[in-house]
Each structure stands twice: as C-alpha cells, then as structure tokens.
Amino acid sequence: MTWRNTRLLFLREVKDQLRDKRTLFMVAVLPVLLYPALGLGMVQMTVLFRETPQTVVVLGAEDLPGPDLIAGERFAEEWFDDPAAASKLRVVTAASEADASIDGATLLDAATEVRAAHERVEEVSAVLDAARATGDERDLAALQSRLRAAKARRATRFAESGIQVLMLVPPTLDEQIAAFSQRLNERGTVPFEDTGEVPRPLVLHQDADEKSRLAYQRVAGVLQTWERAVLRDRLAAAGLPADLPAPVAPRGLSLSLPSERAAGIWSKLFPALVVLMTISGAFYPAVDMAAGEKERGTMETLLICPASRGEIVCGKFLAVLTFSLCTAGLNLFSAGITGGYVASLAGSGPAAHLGGLAPPGLGSLAWVAALMVPLAAFYSALCLALATFAKSNKEGQYYLYPILMVSVGLTVFCLSPLVELTPLYAVLPVVNVSLLLKSLLASGGAGGALPYVPVVLLSSIGYAGMALWWAVEQFKREDVLFREAERFSLKGWMKHLLREKEATPTFSEAAFAFVTILLLQFAMMGPMQQALRAAAPGAEGETAFRLVVIQQLVTVAFPVLAIGVLLTTNVRRTFRFRWPDWKSMAFAVALAISLQPIMSVAVLWLTGRFFPELPEGMAAFKQSMASVPIPLALLAAAIAPALCEEIAFRGFLLSGFSRAGRPWLAIGLSSVAFGVVHLVPQQVFAATLAGLILGTLAWKGRSLWPCVLFHVIFNGQQALLGRAEQGDLGPVGDAWLHLLFDEDGYRPVVLALCAAGTTGLLVWLANYRRDEPSEASSAAESVVRRAAPLTSPASLGT
Amino acid sequence: MIQIRALSKSFVDLQRGPVTALDAVSFEARPGEIFGLLGPNGAGKTTCLRILSTVLKPTGGSATVAGYDVLQDPAEVRRSIGFLSNNTGLYDRMTAWELVEHFGRLYGLEGRSLRERMESVFETLRMTDFRDSLCSTMSTGQRQKVSIARALVHDPPVLIFDEPTAGLDVLVARAVLQTVADLRDAGKCIIFSTHIMREVEKLCDRVAIIHRGRILDQGPLPELAARHDEPDTEELFFKLIEQDEARVAGSENRSESDFAPLAA
C-alpha cells in the first residue's frame, strides 16, 4: 500500500464532495444556519409564549381560616415565591363568582357535581369497609363493583368539568382552627390529647393530566406557604416563638462558581453533540462514496486503476473522516457561540438560571478535539463498510439508520448524571468517549477521569481500526461490489436455502443462529420470571435450576440444531460430532482442572476493580446452588450448558464463521458470541477467554467432544466446590478443599502449579494439530448425504 | 501478451442457483492484433474481461496479461491494461481534463510527462473543445471519448474494449472503431468484445465465439468460415450457437432419462 495513491484518492473524494451541494449543505451550511435559527426561534418562542391560566375551584372558601388565602380571582400574591406566578392560577369561589363571568357559575355547578360524586365514593367505600369488618362476604363483589363505578363517575365528572384543581374545604374549618388556637392559648388547663379527628380540606386533581398535575404542584406550594402563615399567627397568639416548628432549620449553600455551572452544561451538551455530529458528518459522504459510486456506475472505473482495494478504502475513509470532523467541529463551534449568545440575551427570561454562560476553556476544547478524532474514525469506517453493501444511495441510508438509532440511545444513556466512567465503560465503544468527555468537561480537564484517557484512546483507536479493516474486507468481496439490485423474493430465497444446501453452514447462517439465540433468550426472560414467581416457597432454587436446563435446551441447542439439520447437508461436520482423539480429551481434562482456580481468582480480583458486583438475581442463583440436589446442580450448571453451548458455539457458529476462510477470525467471533450471551460482565469475560481456548481446541482437534468434556469439568468443579464447603461431599470433599485452600483462599502452591500447568498446556495446544480426515472418506460421506434426501420416498412408501 | 488457460468462474445466484459464467475458456492474444470476443448477451464476455482486469477472481484456470498473473500481480496487470466497458462510468462532478489527469496520476504519471501525454491524447481524440466541461454535461459520444482517453492515458501495451460502440450514433461509433484500428497499428494488443458482426468483420484479426461461458470455436474469420463451410459471418455465428443449444438440450434430456428407471 502506498501513501501516494491513498492521497490521490483522498484528494479526489474531498474535491468531489465539495462539489456536491447536498454534502456542503449538511457539513457547512446547516450547522452555521441551524443553531442561530434555533436560538432566534427560542427567543421568539419565549416572547410569544403565554400560558393560559389553570382553573382552581374552591368550594367552601368562606370557611378558610385567616390570613386570607384568596384575593379576588387569584391566590394572594404573598403566598407565591415568584409573585408573577399568581396570574397563572385562576381561582373560582362562590364569592368571586358573584362579580365574574357566566363560566364561573358553570364551573361552580360542575365542581358541586364532582363533590357529590366524591361523596358517593366515600359512602360506598364506608359501606364496603363495614361489610369487610363484619365478614359479610355476600355483597362484597357487588359493593366492589359499585365502588369502581362510583370512582369512574367521579373521574369522568372531574375530567368533563374543565377544572384542573378542586379544593373542598370542610364546613367550620375556620371555627375548628380558631377553637384549637384558643385551647393552645389556655394551655395548662385544657388537655391536648383529645383533639380528635379534624376534617381536613381535600385537593382533588388528576395525575394523568399534565395541566392538572402542574396546577396541583402550584396549589400545593401556595397552600404550604399559607399554612406556615396560619401557624405563625397561631404561635404569635399563644406567645410562642415563630421558629418553634423549625428548631434546626438547616441552610443549603451551593459553592459552584458561575464558570463551573457553565462547565456542567457544556459537559452535557458537547459529548452528545460530538457523538451525533460525527456520525451525521460521516453518514452522507460515506453513502455517497460507497453506494453512490455503484449507483453512478463508476465503481468499476475505480477498481481497474492500479490502486489496491486497501488504498481505495483508506482514501475514501480519510475523506469521510475529514467531513465527519468538519461537521462535528462546525456544529460544536456554532452551538457553543449561539448558546453563549442566547444565554447572555436571556437576562431575566426563562434561561436566566444559566447565568452568563461562560465559554468552555481551551483545555476542555483540546480534549473535545482529541477525543473526537477516534470517534469520528470509528463512525467513518463503520459507515463506509455498511454503505459498501448498498447498491444505491437510498439503500445505503436504510443501512445506516440503525447506527444512528443505537448512537442516539447510547448518547441518552451517557447523559444521565448517574452514569459515570468505570473501567468497563472505558472499553465500550462510543460510551467510553462520551463519558470521558463528560467527565473531563465537567471537571475542567482534571480529576479522576485522567487515568482513563489512554484506555479510552487506545480502545477507540482499536475499534476504529477494526471497523476500517472490515470496510477493506467488504471492498474485496465480489458479491458485495457486484451485487445486482435483484428483486427480493422470499419464496425464491427459501427455495435457494433448502435446495442448494451446503455441507456446513454459511457465515450468514451462523450469524442468524446467533441472533436467534439472543432473541430467544430475551423472549424466555418473561416466562422464566413468571415461573420463578409461581414457584412454591422454598422450592425456588430447584425451579430455577430446572428452568436453566430448559432454557439451555430451548434457546441455545434447539435453534442451532434445527437450522443445522434444515440447512446443511453434513450434520456431523457442521457440529464436529467426530470421534475425538485421546490427546485432546486428556488435554481437556487437564486444562479444565488447572484453569479453574486461575480463572476464579482472576474474576474475583477483577470484580469491584473492573466489573461491577454480581447482580442480585445472579448471586441468589449461586446461593440456591447450595440447596438443590447435587445431580440437579450438576445437570443445570455443568452438563446442560456444556452440551448445549458447545453444540451452538464450537459446533454451528464456529463452522459457519470459519467459512470466511480465516480460522482465527472464526474462533474470535465465536468466542465473542459465546461471551455476549452470558450477559453478566464477569461471565462475559470468563466465557470469552474460555471460548478462545475451546474454539482453538475444536478447530485443531476437529471434534466437539473434548470441548464438551472441558466445559463439564470446568463448570462442575465450581458447582461441587460450593457443596464441599458446606460438607455435602463428606470427607472426600473436605480433603479436596484442604488440598486447594488455606485460610486466605487458594494455596499459592496450587496457583503456581496451575499457572505452570495451564501455560504448558496452552503451548501444547498451539503446536497441536490433528490430521485431516482422509479425503476419500469425507468425499464419500458428502456423496452419501447428497443422494439421500431427508425423507426418502422409499421410507415413506413402507 | 494475453494468455488464458482453462479459465472458469462460477458463483451462486439466489434466483438461478449455481451459475457457471465461464467454463474452461482458453485463448491467446498477441501484440499488434485485435482479438474479437463474439457472443450474445450473457455469454460470459464481460465476466472474462473482468477477470482479465483483476476486478473478479477466477474460480479455476489461469490468466496472464503482459507477463503478469492476474492472481499473483493484480496491480501490475492493472497497470498494463487500458480497460473500457459499459460499466466504467465517469465522475459527473469532474471535468474531462481533471478526470484523465486523476487516472494518469494513479498510473504513476506526473508533471510534464503527464501533461504532454494528455495533450497528445486529447488532440488525437479531438477532445480539446470540451476538456473543461463537467462530465455530467457531456453527450454520450463525448463521454465515450473521455473514457477512451482515460484508458489510454498511461499508454498501456494491452487494451480491452468491452462493447465500446454500444449506444453510440453511427458517426461516433465509426470514429471509435477507427481509433481501435489505429491502436492496433501502433502495436497494441487489443481484445474487442462485441455482438455486432460487422465490427468483427471489419476489425478483428482473430475471433472467439463464446456462448454459455464456453468458447465454441476460435481462429481467423476466413479459417472459421472454411471450417464450418459458412462464408457469412452472421450465419456462421448462428450455426455455432444453434449447434451448442442442441447439444445442451440433448445432454439435459439424457440426464433426465438417466433417472427414468429410478422413477419407475
């Protein structure tokens, strides 16, 4: 690969894109115009915004104690923190109605109806309570249905009334309060214990209705302030200090400087913008450079030039990256400038709490620029690879929407203030850059996030590299480059799948099987939880273990076996059901025993440091392992997973993935898939590592059985160790524990021996290679398979 | 210059199942000669030429161009050929001059040598009056000229023309054919694929008739005419195709009858 060709292709692509109006519009015009337009729109909206006041009806306002809660058609301004807010609530009372509009009268009538409906509910409810108390089961159902009907009527009446909040003041409330105050004044002579049940005002509202909820919040605030005044008056009258009810009265004080408040805002805005804009900036140029090239019929012109496919893709990639960075940079610049300007305009408006939004410092901007590059590179390569699949611009856009959707989801996730950078998040694509940026911007480029910088940068560059490699691979595939825009026919496709079966699954069939496993596991979650909840108390552990066996069979083994039998001709080769050689069987036993202590020590060490603690359900499951019968524990934890998962991952998926012609890629992909289905980070880690070893063993040993054996012994040890600890295994178990552990955990000697053993075994595996089965026998096998249809006519005839 | 030995290409198509686009095709083309590839649409001409241009990889056999193997030295093969087909479109947002210059650079030409070569190609093909027009604004004839200039800019020893007159009017087509003839006279090795008999008669020194991915016969036209006792090229072509169709139909019937006893 030469830089000269890459540079030539890069320059041509950039020049070409700059002559394309659509790209220019997306990259340059839109960001420069969009944010000022948005800013202007926002200012206009705040100017034009008029909130229609919400209606509050107070029935029995005349019975409210002083000081005056209501003044005319409003709550008195003094009960509001912001006196201007008083105009947002219109208060209708019997007194205000006299000198107000007709609709005031209507509202009062409606309110009276709601009150009647409410009283009816109270009545029925009281009857029902009485019936329950006497144990009269006969009318219970009828009463319950009456209560439901009454509640429904009350809700309907309220919804139809046009009232947002209805306050029902009990008659004689003021008298009762006055009487109470009186008694307080005469304290010492009147006992306070027998104040009895005092009727309280009731504030009716509707939670499901936004307007009603907002009005209720305001009314509640008003009532709280007013109530404090009522209390203050009472205390004053009784000659008691005003701070009696608040002896501590702690005061909050925020130490944030205005610049830090601004940093908080930038730390939310910029990471989200960086993610969304790098992908938007890569999106259109990538589609135009890959799918557009096919659509315009210039792909072959490009392919016959002396530049290699790698040079072509790198040239295009650099061009997409340039546009992605420019788009993101311009957007950030424009958003930053406009945001600061709007905040400075806001003054006393609704954005006033932002204060003068100080621009982010140079250090912060440098971080944004540094982290934007690997992210943009990742998106550029990914978009390019996906767009290469497409035959036309339109098709390319369909393929890229999922990336956009996933990125938006991740961005929203990262925006949550509770989500912080952890070692695990630091290696997740997109999330890592987003969270690191958030943390760096919030702290002004200092603080606890700095140690993560190399990890995030390296992993992001790694992901970008992988995506680029994938894009180059796509560009080397004839079926991708010369895909005809054929009419897709489901019937034709099914026919093709069933008629032109091959000996082992294709790459896509393996990928499909993996997705099916994931979906089935997702679908099984609901029924599994239901079954667990329905389990008899005390038997949850056993039920859980039975369910695990069923889940393994249904979601892991069944789909691959079904697809394998239906779509391949050589089930034995597909699943590697070949007889194993003794060497790999011995290797499996030895490695399972020597690897187990090392893996559990590693996982334990990483938990808390790198992985979060085990989720509750998982921990409970592990605990219940102690109570179920040993055979069931072994079946659920060792035998079923070993058989089902090996058939799926080392059998079907590995066979399918290895059709791409790269065994190491196939082993890597199958072990990542194996890791992903384990969901819990600790298990994902252990399973992916084990998957690499098992994949290598399956590939080199050409048989599934050593892998199954390894899996059974490895998992079985974990299950049995727990049982040995509670003495279920008798003296043998005690001896086993004594051999492995001292008071501090695994004996150092054991760990050293296991480490040495594992290393030796892995070296052996690296050099091991079982001979290919003789060509003649495998050829004969495939001929036999092809000649015999699945249901032979002869067998049907008999 | 070009040697093809038992070249095969097969792939799987969703609609048609496994397809053999090329079936053990062998031929040779020499410098100073126009080798015609004559066949109906879908005969495998384009697949064969795409393999020669290293855009597709063969599934069997071998091919060398100017001494380079298409699988071992694809970059050198691409450097040695000028390729023109219906599928080699032009970049709409570039001018004729920019486009030819871009490809000239990719072929390793620079500075004065590139400019002089371009001037001479533009002069020969009479393209100077539209050299600064965008390709999107050009007529079909002008676009074809730009494509030819693009294929010739690095002065390759081998030229591959896949139906170069398709969609052109008579005048432009005649000019294109004249250019091809001139290139032969300049000592180039040329492969010329077409389904137009007149072009074959007029240009080609030797011809291969290709049908369903197989070469039915090859040689100089007079020789072919004598061998099949058919002086008219068009009739000769149809005769060979019909014979092949009959052969294919016969073999299909035979294979069906092979299974007859089992069915009974």
Side-chain angles (χ1 to χ4, degrees):
Chain A
M1 211 170 98
T2 66
W3 169 240
R4 186 178 173 277
N5 282 348
T6 308
R7 189 179 55 92
L8 279 172
L9 291 161
F10 161 70
L11 289 176
R12 195 208 78 77
E13 294 291 357
V14 171
K15 200 194 261 179
D16 202 50
Q17 290 300 315
L18 286 177
R19 287 181 184 175
D20 183 19
K21 281 186 213 127
R22 285 172 307 172
T23 319
L24 269 188
F25 177 76
M26 275 302 296
V27 174
V29 180
L30 196 61
V32 171
L33 291 182
L34 179 73
Y35 295 97
L38 274 180
L40 189 67
M42 228 170 86
V43 173
Q44 290 260 320
M45 292 287 278
T46 35
V47 170
L48 292 175
F49 182 72
R50 284 264 182 284
E51 191 181 337
T52 48
Q54 289 122 29
T55 308
V56 181
V57 176
V58 182
L59 290 183
E62 59 283 1
D63 293 320
L64 285 169
D68 281 343
L69 174 67
I70 299 162
E73 276 217 322
R74 303 267 157 84
F75 286 116
E77 281 188 4
E78 54 187 305
W79 311 128
F80 289 91
D81 293 336
D82 172 17
S87 64
K88 288 173 186 163
L89 294 173
R90 177 195 172 198
V91 181
V92 179
T93 59
S96 70
E97 187 266 336
D99 48 24
S101 55
I102 312 163
D103 95 294
T106 325
L107 284 170
L108 279 176
D109 290 345
T112 319
E113 273 184 40
V114 174
R115 181 168 60 186
H118 173 67
E119 281 162 2
R120 175 80 188 132
V121 170
E122 302 271 270
E123 267 169 44
V124 178
S125 181
V127 175
L128 184 66
D129 285 346
R132 276 210 187 102
T134 56
D136 188 358
E137 297 279 319
R138 223 171 9 158
D139 295 336
L140 222 52
L143 281 171
Q144 270 164 348
S145 93
R146 265 171 65 194
L147 181 63
R148 271 198 300 277
K151 280 184 175 171
R153 197 174 314 118
R154 177 178 64 178
T156 320
R157 288 271 181 281
F158 190 86
E160 285 167 353
S161 66
I163 301 168
Q164 270 78 51
V165 172
L166 171 59
M167 186 167 164
L168 304 176
V169 182
T172 70
L173 177 70
D174 54 343
E175 286 165 24
Q176 281 174 26
I177 286 178
F180 187 89
S181 297
Q182 185 64 34
R183 281 192 285 172
L184 188 64
N185 293 348
E186 297 158 4
R187 63 187 178 280
T189 57
V190 179
F192 263 99
E193 295 78 48
D194 60 347
T195 50
E197 187 73 16
V198 180
R200 304 288 181 190
L202 196 63
V203 186
L204 302 179
H205 63 281
Q206 272 184 318
D207 247 354
D209 178 44
E210 285 286 325
K211 222 176 150 187
S212 171
R213 201 171 57 193
L214 181 66
Y216 173 66
Q217 280 168 2
R218 285 178 174 156
V219 170
V222 165
L223 290 178
Q224 204 182 11
T225 322
W226 170 71
E227 191 177 22
R228 275 201 294 269
V230 174
L231 180 64
R232 214 170 33 240
D233 286 359
R234 173 185 281 176
L235 291 172
L240 290 168
D243 67 351
L244 184 72
V248 180
R251 202 162 53 93
L253 176 66
S254 166
L255 303 179
S256 285
L257 303 174
S259 67
E260 286 170 343
R261 239 168 272 146
I265 291 170
W266 295 128
S267 76
K268 286 191 187 71
L269 183 66
F270 274 11
L273 266 184
V274 164
V275 172
L276 295 181
M277 288 305 137
T278 44
I279 184 168
S280 316
F283 197 105
Y284 287 97
V287 171
D288 193 63
M289 283 179 214
E293 190 109 42
K294 285 191 204 171
E295 190 173 344
R296 293 187 292 269
T298 50
M299 185 58 97
E300 211 164 322
T301 320
L302 184 63
L303 295 179
I304 53 165
C305 82
S308 71
R309 304 282 165 97
E311 287 163 352
I312 293 174
V313 175
C314 284
K316 284 180 183 292
F317 162 73
L318 288 177
V320 177
L321 176 64
T322 308
F323 283 100
S324 170
L325 287 174
C326 287
T327 309
L330 269 174
N331 271 283
L332 290 181
F333 179 74
S334 182
I337 297 279
T338 314
Y341 182 62
V342 169
S344 75
L345 277 185
S348 62
H353 64 279
L354 299 184
L357 197 58
L362 271 182
S364 302
L365 290 179
W367 281 121
V368 173
L371 288 167
M372 205 159 75
V373 177
L375 189 69
F378 172 65
Y379 276 135
S380 302
L382 199 61
C383 288
L384 198 58
L386 276 175
T388 309
F389 272 110
K391 179 83 184 160
S392 65
N393 271 316
K394 190 175 138 203
E395 199 183 326
Q397 289 177 16
Y398 287 135
Y399 291 163
L400 293 191
Y401 269 113
I403 307 189
L404 196 62
M405 298 300 293
V406 171
S407 302
V408 170
L410 289 178
T411 311
V412 172
F413 171 72
C414 294
L415 274 180
S416 159
L418 295 179
V419 179
E420 284 179 346
L421 200 57
T422 64
L424 184 65
Y425 288 151
V427 293
L428 288 186
V430 183
V431 171
N432 58 0
V433 171
S434 198
L435 287 178
L436 178 62
L437 207 52
K438 183 168 103 171
S439 160
L440 287 171
L441 288 180
S443 63
L450 276 180
Y452 288 117
V453 171
V455 182
V456 170
L457 275 179
L458 278 179
S459 60
S460 301
I461 292 170
Y463 288 123
M466 276 197 275
L468 184 61
W469 172 79
W470 191 47
V472 175
E473 287 298 300
Q474 295 315 311
F475 237 79
K476 286 180 180 165
R477 283 177 52 186
E478 290 171 6
D479 56 335
V480 169
L481 290 180
F482 295 99
R483 205 165 59 82
E484 297 298 326
E486 80 272 3
R487 188 171 57 87
F488 178 77
S489 118
L490 187 67
K491 208 172 128 197
W493 181 65
M494 293 296 286
K495 258 193 194 162
H496 160 78
L497 273 184
L498 294 171
R499 202 171 43 195
E500 277 107 35
K501 288 199 253 185
E502 296 174 56
T504 56
T506 61
F507 192 96
S508 345
E509 281 163 3
F512 173 73
F514 173 56
V515 174
T516 311
I517 291 176
L518 281 184
L519 289 179
L520 281 175
Q521 289 205 330
F522 183 57
M524 270 289 274
M525 279 180 185
M528 294 239 318
Q529 275 179 5
Q530 264 177 8
L532 263 183
R533 272 198 294 270
E540 290 97 346
E542 238 179 281
T543 315
F545 276 75
R546 289 224 172 81
L547 285 173
V548 167
V549 178
I550 296 172
Q551 184 226 25
Q552 286 284 339
L553 287 172
V554 172
T555 67
V556 182
F558 172 71
V560 290
L561 284 172
I563 300 173
V565 170
L566 275 176
L567 300 184
T568 66
T569 57
N570 193 335
V571 173
R572 196 169 155 228
R573 236 174 79 194
T574 297
F575 292 102
R576 294 171 209 272
F577 286 152
R578 279 188 64 206
W579 197 244
D581 63 345
W582 68 268
K583 281 189 229 165
S584 43
M585 290 300 261
F587 168 84
V589 175
L591 188 71
I593 292 170
S594 72
L595 189 63
Q596 213 281 328
I598 296 175
M599 194 71 102
S600 56
V601 167
V603 168
L604 201 66
W605 189 81
L606 286 169
T607 300
R609 285 184 176 78
F610 189 75
F611 302 126
E613 296 294 332
L614 276 183
E616 256 174 58
M618 194 65 209
F621 180 75
K622 277 203 152 179
Q623 273 188 352
S624 61
M625 198 182 268
S627 60
V628 297
I630 291 180
L632 180 60
L634 278 181
L635 180 69
I639 297 169
L643 264 176
C644 299
E645 290 176 351
E646 293 310 314
I647 284 176
F649 294 96
R650 256 60 65 183
F652 194 85
L653 262 67
L654 187 61
S655 296
F657 288 149
S658 57
R659 286 285 292 276
R662 288 187 175 82
W664 289 113
L665 177 73
I667 291 170
L669 282 178
S670 69
S671 58
V672 168
F674 182 51
V676 167
V677 294
H678 282 79
L679 296 174
V680 184
Q682 283 88 332
Q683 293 199 349
V684 171
F685 164 78
T688 309
L689 271 190
L692 287 173
I693 298 172
L694 286 169
T696 312
L697 180 61
W699 171 53
K700 292 194 159 194
R702 296 170 194 285
S703 169
L704 190 70
W705 302 118
C707 303
V708 175
L709 186 64
F710 173 93
H711 208 139
V712 169
I713 297 177
F714 189 88
N715 286 17
Q717 287 177 91
Q718 275 175 328
L720 288 180
L721 271 177
R723 302 310 290 257
E725 273 169 30
Q726 10 175 62
D728 289 354
L729 300 185
V732 182
D734 293 340
W736 187 26
L737 288 176
H738 183 71
L739 185 72
L740 292 180
F741 299 99
D742 55 20
E743 303 80 58
D744 306 327
Y746 276 103
R747 290 176 189 280
V749 184
V750 171
L751 285 180
L753 278 176
C754 287
T758 304
T759 315
L761 286 165
L762 290 181
V763 170
W764 178 84
L765 181 63
N767 296 312
Y768 165 69
R769 178 89 193 158
R770 189 179 175 195
D771 292 333
E772 191 106 26
S774 67
E775 279 303 314
S777 72
S778 71
E781 194 178 77
S782 66
V783 165
V784 170
R785 294 288 313 173
R786 208 161 293 153
L790 280 172
T791 48
S792 75
S795 65
L796 283 178
T798 52
Chain B
M1 241 321 96
I2 295 179
Q3 280 164 343
I4 289 183
R5 295 266 169 278
L7 201 65
S8 298
K9 176 76 182 173
S10 50
F11 55 89
V12 177
D13 183 273
L14 263 189
Q15 307 286 332
R16 295 178 285 169
V19 176
T20 306
L22 272 190
D23 188 2
V25 166
S26 303
F27 64 79
E28 257 186 56
R30 294 179 282 265
E33 160 183 278
I34 299 180
F35 185 85
L37 214 50
L38 185 63
N41 290 333
K45 303 188 295 281
T46 301
T47 305
C48 177
L49 300 183
R50 275 181 172 165
I51 291 175
L52 281 181
S53 67
T54 77
V55 168
L56 293 183
K57 286 194 173 109
T59 43
S62 68
T64 57
V65 176
Y68 301 107
D69 189 282
V70 289
L71 283 175
Q72 310 296 325
D73 297 305
E76 286 305 321
V77 169
R78 288 198 295 272
R79 219 175 276 286
S80 315
I81 57 173
F83 187 90
L84 175 75
S85 86
N86 286 328
N87 302 311
T88 51
L90 301 176
Y91 289 114
D92 281 348
R93 301 191 281 254
M94 288 176 105
T95 66
W97 185 265
E98 284 170 340
L99 187 127
V100 177
E101 190 181 33
H102 172 67
F103 280 93
R105 291 219 171 103
L106 282 173
Y107 283 111
L109 299 175
E110 283 288 3
R112 230 179 87 188
S113 62
L114 174 63
R115 211 170 44 248
E116 281 171 6
R117 173 68 189 160
M118 283 178 65
E119 293 287 1
S120 116
V121 170
F122 272 64
E123 196 64 39
T124 321
L125 294 173
R126 295 194 194 86
M127 292 167 57
T128 35
D129 51 336
F130 59 88
R131 58 182 255 180
D132 292 323
S133 310
L134 284 180
C135 291
S136 56
T137 62
M138 287 179 195
S139 68
T140 319
Q142 286 173 331
R143 290 173 74 92
Q144 193 68 339
K145 280 186 176 180
V146 179
S147 283
I148 295 175
R150 197 255 312 136
L152 294 181
V153 65
H154 57 302
D155 197 16
V158 175
L159 284 158
I160 298 175
F161 293 105
D162 187 9
E163 306 195 358
T165 56
L168 299 183
D169 68 41
V170 220
L171 277 176
V172 186
R174 189 186 156 87
V176 168
L177 294 182
Q178 188 54 52
T179 311
V180 176
D182 292 345
L183 287 166
R184 182 232 341 246
D185 297 341
K188 307 281 181 198
C189 169
I190 297 171
I191 293 196
F192 187 89
S193 122
T194 183
H195 57 266
I196 304 169
M197 307 301 148
R198 211 174 27 76
E199 292 181 353
V200 177
E201 287 168 350
K202 203 171 161 189
L203 275 181
C204 297
D205 302 297
R206 285 188 306 127
V207 196
I209 293 170
I210 185 166
H211 182 51
R212 286 174 180 258
R214 290 172 63 249
I215 289 192
L216 303 181
D217 203 353
Q218 58 177 311
L221 262 185
E223 205 178 280
L224 288 182
R227 197 180 307 155
H228 298 279
D229 196 20
E230 187 56 77
D232 186 282
T233 315
E234 201 163 314
E235 292 305 321
L236 168 69
F237 178 72
F238 286 128
K239 190 172 171 186
L240 282 171
I241 300 276
E242 273 164 17
Q243 278 174 4
D244 191 54
E245 293 285 352
R247 182 189 61 81
V248 172
S251 75
E252 269 169 14
N253 283 337
R254 215 168 31 252
S255 62
E256 268 170 32
S257 63
D258 285 345
F259 287 100
L262 273 180

